[in-house]
PDB file of all heavy atoms in Angstrom:
ATOM      1  N   ILE I 631     -51.198 -15.810 -16.936  1.00 75.00           N
ATOM      2  CA  ILE I 631     -50.404 -16.277 -18.154  1.00 75.00           C
ATOM      3  C   ILE I 631     -49.843 -17.669 -17.907  1.00 75.00           C
ATOM      4  O   ILE I 631     -49.023 -18.040 -18.926  1.00 75.00           O
ATOM      5  CB  ILE I 631     -49.381 -15.174 -18.487  1.00 75.00           C
ATOM      6  CG1 ILE I 631     -48.338 -15.112 -17.334  1.00 75.00           C
ATOM      7  CG2 ILE I 631     -49.905 -13.854 -18.785  1.00 75.00           C
ATOM      8  CD1 ILE I 631     -47.151 -14.163 -17.709  1.00 75.00           C
ATOM      9  N   ASN I 632     -50.342 -18.309 -16.970  1.00 71.00           N
ATOM     10  CA  ASN I 632     -49.786 -19.692 -16.748  1.00 71.00           C
ATOM     11  C   ASN I 632     -48.370 -19.822 -16.699  1.00 71.00           C
ATOM     12  O   ASN I 632     -47.707 -20.707 -17.373  1.00 71.00           O
ATOM     13  CB  ASN I 632     -50.413 -20.661 -17.789  1.00 71.00           C
ATOM     14  CG  ASN I 632     -51.935 -20.668 -17.739  1.00 71.00           C
ATOM     15  OD1 ASN I 632     -52.528 -20.649 -16.657  1.00 71.00           O
ATOM     16  ND2 ASN I 632     -52.545 -20.864 -18.906  1.00 71.00           N
ATOM     17  N   LYS I 633     -47.704 -18.992 -15.950  1.00 71.00           N
ATOM     18  CA  LYS I 633     -46.259 -19.073 -15.685  1.00 71.00           C
ATOM     19  C   LYS I 633     -45.909 -19.137 -14.242  1.00 71.00           C
ATOM     20  O   LYS I 633     -46.761 -18.742 -13.394  1.00 71.00           O
ATOM     21  CB  LYS I 633     -45.539 -17.880 -16.409  1.00 71.00           C
ATOM     22  CG  LYS I 633     -45.494 -18.013 -17.859  1.00 71.00           C
ATOM     23  CD  LYS I 633     -44.536 -16.848 -18.404  1.00 71.00           C
ATOM     24  CE  LYS I 633     -44.364 -16.946 -19.926  1.00 71.00           C
ATOM     25  NZ  LYS I 633     -43.358 -15.920 -20.390  1.00 71.00           N
ATOM     26  N   SER I 634     -44.817 -19.760 -13.926  1.00 73.00           N
ATOM     27  CA  SER I 634     -44.485 -19.937 -12.485  1.00 73.00           C
ATOM     28  C   SER I 634     -44.086 -18.643 -11.958  1.00 73.00           C
ATOM     29  O   SER I 634     -43.549 -17.740 -12.609  1.00 73.00           O
ATOM     30  CB  SER I 634     -43.253 -20.884 -12.382  1.00 73.00           C
ATOM     31  OG  SER I 634     -42.185 -20.424 -13.080  1.00 73.00           O
ATOM     32  N   PRO I 635     -44.493 -18.311 -10.752  1.00 69.00           N
ATOM     33  CA  PRO I 635     -44.094 -17.062 -10.049  1.00 69.00           C
ATOM     34  C   PRO I 635     -42.572 -16.967  -9.837  1.00 69.00           C
ATOM     35  O   PRO I 635     -41.816 -17.889  -9.919  1.00 69.00           O
ATOM     36  CB  PRO I 635     -44.824 -17.094  -8.690  1.00 69.00           C
ATOM     37  CG  PRO I 635     -44.989 -18.615  -8.462  1.00 69.00           C
ATOM     38  CD  PRO I 635     -45.133 -19.221  -9.765  1.00 69.00           C
ATOM     39  N   PRO I 636     -42.181 -15.753  -9.666  1.00 70.00           N
ATOM     40  CA  PRO I 636     -40.661 -15.616  -9.518  1.00 70.00           C
ATOM     41  C   PRO I 636     -40.188 -16.285  -8.235  1.00 70.00           C
ATOM     42  O   PRO I 636     -40.749 -16.138  -7.255  1.00 70.00           O
ATOM     43  CB  PRO I 636     -40.502 -14.004  -9.507  1.00 70.00           C
ATOM     44  CG  PRO I 636     -41.827 -13.536  -8.966  1.00 70.00           C
ATOM     45  CD  PRO I 636     -42.845 -14.502  -9.617  1.00 70.00           C
ATOM     46  N   PRO I 637     -39.021 -16.932  -8.358  1.00 76.00           N
ATOM     47  CA  PRO I 637     -38.466 -17.563  -7.105  1.00 76.00           C
ATOM     48  C   PRO I 637     -37.884 -16.652  -6.217  1.00 76.00           C
ATOM     49  O   PRO I 637     -37.031 -15.721  -6.511  1.00 76.00           O
ATOM     50  CB  PRO I 637     -37.402 -18.530  -7.732  1.00 76.00           C
ATOM     51  CG  PRO I 637     -36.924 -17.857  -8.947  1.00 76.00           C
ATOM     52  CD  PRO I 637     -38.143 -17.190  -9.583  1.00 76.00           C
ATOM     53  N   ILE I 638     -38.423 -16.629  -5.013  1.00 75.00           N
ATOM     54  CA  ILE I 638     -37.902 -15.657  -3.942  1.00 75.00           C
ATOM     55  C   ILE I 638     -36.921 -16.511  -3.000  1.00 75.00           C
ATOM     56  O   ILE I 638     -37.365 -17.421  -2.355  1.00 75.00           O
ATOM     57  CB  ILE I 638     -39.126 -15.131  -3.212  1.00 75.00           C
ATOM     58  CG1 ILE I 638     -40.018 -14.361  -4.083  1.00 75.00           C
ATOM     59  CG2 ILE I 638     -38.574 -14.172  -2.018  1.00 75.00           C
ATOM     60  CD1 ILE I 638     -41.257 -13.801  -3.316  1.00 75.00           C
ATOM     61  N   PRO I 639     -35.704 -16.172  -3.086  1.00 75.00           N
ATOM     62  CA  PRO I 639     -34.698 -16.927  -2.230  1.00 75.00           C
ATOM     63  C   PRO I 639     -34.958 -16.749  -0.774  1.00 75.00           C
ATOM     64  O   PRO I 639     -35.388 -15.691  -0.302  1.00 75.00           O
ATOM     65  CB  PRO I 639     -33.332 -16.360  -2.732  1.00 75.00           C
ATOM     66  CG  PRO I 639     -33.684 -14.978  -3.216  1.00 75.00           C
ATOM     67  CD  PRO I 639     -35.000 -14.994  -3.758  1.00 75.00           C
ATOM     68  N   GLU I 640     -34.576 -17.766  -0.044  1.00 79.00           N
ATOM     69  CA  GLU I 640     -34.571 -17.666   1.441  1.00 79.00           C
ATOM     70  C   GLU I 640     -33.314 -17.090   1.905  1.00 79.00           C
ATOM     71  O   GLU I 640     -32.268 -17.546   1.685  1.00 79.00           O
ATOM     72  CB  GLU I 640     -34.892 -18.980   2.037  1.00 79.00           C
ATOM     73  CG  GLU I 640     -35.093 -18.958   3.547  1.00 79.00           C
ATOM     74  CD  GLU I 640     -35.358 -20.325   4.100  1.00 79.00           C
ATOM     75  OE1 GLU I 640     -35.469 -21.317   3.269  1.00 79.00           O
ATOM     76  OE2 GLU I 640     -35.609 -20.562   5.343  1.00 79.00           O
ATOM     77  N   VAL I 641     -33.392 -15.938   2.562  1.00 77.00           N
ATOM     78  CA  VAL I 641     -32.172 -15.223   3.044  1.00 77.00           C
ATOM     79  C   VAL I 641     -32.057 -15.423   4.504  1.00 77.00           C
ATOM     80  O   VAL I 641     -33.053 -15.112   5.227  1.00 77.00           O
ATOM     81  CB  VAL I 641     -32.212 -13.735   2.710  1.00 77.00           C
ATOM     82  CG1 VAL I 641     -30.970 -13.027   3.192  1.00 77.00           C
ATOM     83  CG2 VAL I 641     -32.420 -13.526   1.281  1.00 77.00           C
ATOM     84  N   LYS I 642     -30.901 -15.875   4.872  1.00 82.00           N
ATOM     85  CA  LYS I 642     -30.563 -16.137   6.282  1.00 82.00           C
ATOM     86  C   LYS I 642     -29.195 -15.661   6.636  1.00 82.00           C
ATOM     87  O   LYS I 642     -28.314 -15.841   5.756  1.00 82.00           O
ATOM     88  CB  LYS I 642     -30.766 -17.666   6.772  1.00 82.00           C
ATOM     89  CG  LYS I 642     -32.160 -18.136   6.776  1.00 82.00           C
ATOM     90  CD  LYS I 642     -32.256 -19.598   7.189  1.00 82.00           C
ATOM     91  CE  LYS I 642     -33.628 -20.061   7.358  1.00 82.00           C
ATOM     92  NZ  LYS I 642     -33.740 -21.453   7.855  1.00 82.00           N
ATOM     93  N   ILE I 643     -28.994 -15.142   7.796  1.00 80.00           N
ATOM     94  CA  ILE I 643     -27.660 -14.678   8.201  1.00 80.00           C
ATOM     95  C   ILE I 643     -26.970 -15.867   8.901  1.00 80.00           C
ATOM     96  O   ILE I 643     -27.521 -16.427   9.883  1.00 80.00           O
ATOM     97  CB  ILE I 643     -27.696 -13.502   9.195  1.00 80.00           C
ATOM     98  CG1 ILE I 643     -28.465 -12.301   8.542  1.00 80.00           C
ATOM     99  CG2 ILE I 643     -26.391 -13.134   9.769  1.00 80.00           C
ATOM    100  CD1 ILE I 643     -28.623 -11.121   9.370  1.00 80.00           C
ATOM    101  N   PRO I 644     -25.928 -16.370   8.282  1.00 83.00           N
ATOM    102  CA  PRO I 644     -25.148 -17.593   8.897  1.00 83.00           C
ATOM    103  C   PRO I 644     -24.556 -17.206  10.244  1.00 83.00           C
ATOM    104  O   PRO I 644     -23.966 -16.119  10.401  1.00 83.00           O
ATOM    105  CB  PRO I 644     -24.076 -17.906   7.849  1.00 83.00           C
ATOM    106  CG  PRO I 644     -23.921 -16.601   7.089  1.00 83.00           C
ATOM    107  CD  PRO I 644     -25.126 -15.837   7.058  1.00 83.00           C
ATOM    108  N   GLU I 645     -24.705 -18.063  11.229  1.00 85.00           N
ATOM    109  CA  GLU I 645     -24.242 -17.800  12.570  1.00 85.00           C
ATOM    110  C   GLU I 645     -22.722 -17.814  12.641  1.00 85.00           C
ATOM    111  O   GLU I 645     -22.067 -16.974  13.376  1.00 85.00           O
ATOM    112  CB  GLU I 645     -24.865 -18.838  13.551  1.00 85.00           C
ATOM    113  CG  GLU I 645     -24.524 -18.559  14.924  1.00 85.00           C
ATOM    114  CD  GLU I 645     -25.088 -19.693  15.839  1.00 85.00           C
ATOM    115  OE1 GLU I 645     -25.812 -20.554  15.395  1.00 85.00           O
ATOM    116  OE2 GLU I 645     -24.866 -19.596  17.128  1.00 85.00           O
ATOM    117  N   ALA I 646     -22.100 -18.811  11.971  1.00 85.00           N
ATOM    118  CA  ALA I 646     -20.645 -18.863  12.023  1.00 85.00           C
ATOM    119  C   ALA I 646     -19.966 -17.659  11.564  1.00 85.00           C
ATOM    120  O   ALA I 646     -19.104 -17.120  12.128  1.00 85.00           O
ATOM    121  CB  ALA I 646     -20.118 -20.042  11.294  1.00 85.00           C
ATOM    122  N   GLU I 647     -20.339 -17.128  10.369  1.00 81.00           N
ATOM    123  CA  GLU I 647     -19.763 -15.935   9.779  1.00 81.00           C
ATOM    124  C   GLU I 647     -20.012 -14.623  10.523  1.00 81.00           C
ATOM    125  O   GLU I 647     -19.167 -13.830  10.708  1.00 81.00           O
ATOM    126  CB  GLU I 647     -20.200 -15.668   8.309  1.00 81.00           C
ATOM    127  CG  GLU I 647     -19.658 -16.639   7.289  1.00 81.00           C
ATOM    128  CD  GLU I 647     -20.166 -18.021   7.259  1.00 81.00           C
ATOM    129  OE1 GLU I 647     -21.100 -18.223   8.119  1.00 81.00           O
ATOM    130  OE2 GLU I 647     -19.684 -18.878   6.544  1.00 81.00           O
ATOM    131  N   LEU I 648     -21.247 -14.635  11.123  1.00 83.00           N
ATOM    132  CA  LEU I 648     -21.586 -13.474  11.986  1.00 83.00           C
ATOM    133  C   LEU I 648     -20.664 -13.467  13.192  1.00 83.00           C
ATOM    134  O   LEU I 648     -20.194 -12.322  13.623  1.00 83.00           O
ATOM    135  CB  LEU I 648     -23.060 -13.526  12.347  1.00 83.00           C
ATOM    136  CG  LEU I 648     -23.593 -12.354  13.220  1.00 83.00           C
ATOM    137  CD1 LEU I 648     -23.361 -11.015  12.433  1.00 83.00           C
ATOM    138  CD2 LEU I 648     -25.035 -12.557  13.585  1.00 83.00           C
ATOM    139  N   LEU I 649     -20.486 -14.587  13.901  1.00 87.00           N
ATOM    140  CA  LEU I 649     -19.622 -14.671  15.044  1.00 87.00           C
ATOM    141  C   LEU I 649     -18.179 -14.394  14.653  1.00 87.00           C
ATOM    142  O   LEU I 649     -17.480 -13.752  15.472  1.00 87.00           O
ATOM    143  CB  LEU I 649     -19.766 -16.047  15.679  1.00 87.00           C
ATOM    144  CG  LEU I 649     -21.102 -16.322  16.354  1.00 87.00           C
ATOM    145  CD1 LEU I 649     -21.062 -17.825  16.891  1.00 87.00           C
ATOM    146  CD2 LEU I 649     -21.427 -15.464  17.422  1.00 87.00           C
ATOM    147  N   GLN I 650     -17.702 -14.789  13.548  1.00 84.00           N
ATOM    148  CA  GLN I 650     -16.393 -14.522  13.115  1.00 84.00           C
ATOM    149  C   GLN I 650     -16.187 -12.980  12.914  1.00 84.00           C
ATOM    150  O   GLN I 650     -15.144 -12.424  13.293  1.00 84.00           O
ATOM    151  CB  GLN I 650     -16.060 -15.252  11.812  1.00 84.00           C
ATOM    152  CG  GLN I 650     -14.649 -15.075  11.375  1.00 84.00           C
ATOM    153  CD  GLN I 650     -14.366 -15.989  10.113  1.00 84.00           C
ATOM    154  OE1 GLN I 650     -15.238 -16.630   9.549  1.00 84.00           O
ATOM    155  NE2 GLN I 650     -13.100 -15.817   9.724  1.00 84.00           N
ATOM    156  N   VAL I 651     -17.142 -12.264  12.184  1.00 81.00           N
ATOM    157  CA  VAL I 651     -16.994 -10.933  12.052  1.00 81.00           C
ATOM    158  C   VAL I 651     -17.049 -10.161  13.395  1.00 81.00           C
ATOM    159  O   VAL I 651     -16.196  -9.285  13.681  1.00 81.00           O
ATOM    160  CB  VAL I 651     -18.142 -10.440  11.129  1.00 81.00           C
ATOM    161  CG1 VAL I 651     -18.179  -8.882  11.092  1.00 81.00           C
ATOM    162  CG2 VAL I 651     -18.004 -10.932   9.760  1.00 81.00           C
ATOM    163  N   ALA I 652     -18.020 -10.678  14.272  1.00 87.00           N
ATOM    164  CA  ALA I 652     -18.086  -9.925  15.586  1.00 87.00           C
ATOM    165  C   ALA I 652     -16.827 -10.127  16.377  1.00 87.00           C
ATOM    166  O   ALA I 652     -16.356  -9.255  17.047  1.00 87.00           O
ATOM    167  CB  ALA I 652     -19.309 -10.491  16.363  1.00 87.00           C
ATOM    168  N   ASP I 653     -16.197 -11.259  16.341  1.00 87.00           N
ATOM    169  CA  ASP I 653     -14.984 -11.636  17.052  1.00 87.00           C
ATOM    170  C   ASP I 653     -13.824 -10.735  16.429  1.00 87.00           C
ATOM    171  O   ASP I 653     -13.011 -10.216  17.320  1.00 87.00           O
ATOM    172  CB  ASP I 653     -14.607 -13.064  16.898  1.00 87.00           C
ATOM    173  CG  ASP I 653     -13.426 -13.434  17.821  1.00 87.00           C
ATOM    174  OD1 ASP I 653     -13.510 -13.300  19.052  1.00 87.00           O
ATOM    175  OD2 ASP I 653     -12.327 -13.749  17.167  1.00 87.00           O
TER     176      ASP I 653
END
Side-chain angles (χ1 to χ4, degrees):
I631 59 177
N632 295 325
K633 285 188 176 182
S634 60
I638 300 175
E640 185 179 359
V641 180
K642 289 184 179 181
I643 299 176
E645 183 179 359
E647 283 76 3
L648 182 61
L649 292 176
Q650 185 178 1
V651 172
D653 185 66

